[in-house]
Amino acid sequence: MKDETMSTQTNFDLVLFGATGDLAMRKLLPCLYQAHVAGLLNPQGRILGVSRSEMDTESFLAKVETNSKIHVKQNFSDEQWASFIKRIEYLTVDVTRSEDFAALGEKSNPALKPKVWWFIFRLRQNSSPKPVKIWRQWA
C-alpha cells in the first residue's frame, strides 16, 4: 500500500551503526520495514548493519528475526518480510579501527560512496582524533 504523498527515494546504502543494539532492533528496523512495505524505499536500496559484535550476515539476520520481527505491529506479511531482509547485510565495524572502515568501503555501492563516506567522515570527525587520515584511505 504505497502512500501517494511520498515518493520513492533514490538508490541508497543506509549504514545503520549499532545495528545489534536495542534501538535498532525495536525501533529502527521495524520502521524501515514499514517504509519498505509502503513502497517508500528504492528497490535497490540496501541496509548495511554495522556494530562491534562479531557475526556474519546470516547470524545477524537470525538476530533480526528473533529480536526485531516481533516489534512489527502493522502490515506484516511473511512475503514482505522475506523481501525486506534481502536488503540487509551485516559487517563488524569497530570505529577505532581504520581497517574496519576500509572493509565497509569495499562493501558499499561504488556509485553511492561519496554520500556514504561524507557521513562517516563527519561521524569520525566528531569521535576520533584522526578523521582525515582515514578519509584519505577511502577517497
Side-chain angles (χ1 to χ4, degrees), residues 80-96:
Q80 287 287 350
W81 182 259
S83 174
F84 172 67
I85 63 170
K86 286 180 184 176
R87 292 179 177 275
I88 301 173
E89 295 183 43
Y90 180 82
L91 185 65
T92 301
V93 174
D94 182 336
V95 297
T96 64

Side-chain angles (χ1 to χ4, degrees), residues 45-123:
R46 296 185 309 158
I47 299 166
L48 304 175
V50 299
S51 78
R52 290 180 291 179
S53 301
E54 292 284 339
M55 64 177 71
D56 58 13
T57 296
E58 185 179 335
S59 300
F60 178 68
L61 291 177
K63 182 176 178 75
V64 170
E65 186 77 21
T66 302
N67 298 341
S68 188
K69 183 177 177 181
I70 61 172
H71 297 288
V72 176
K73 305 296 185 197
Q74 301 173 23
N75 304 318
F76 183 82
S77 81
D78 288 327
E79 181 181 328
Q80 287 287 350
W81 182 259
S83 174
F84 172 67
I85 63 170
K86 286 180 184 176
R87 292 179 177 275
I88 301 173
E89 295 183 43
Y90 180 82
L91 185 65
T92 301
V93 174
D94 182 336
V95 297
T96 64
R97 298 172 31 117
S98 61
E99 57 270 21
D100 286 359
F101 277 92
L104 179 57
E106 291 170 12
K107 193 141 189 116
S108 297
N109 180 334
L112 304 175
K113 278 186 183 179
K115 294 175 188 173
V116 172
W117 296 135
W118 179 86
F119 171 75
I120 292 172
F121 172 71
R122 297 300 301 168
L123 174 74

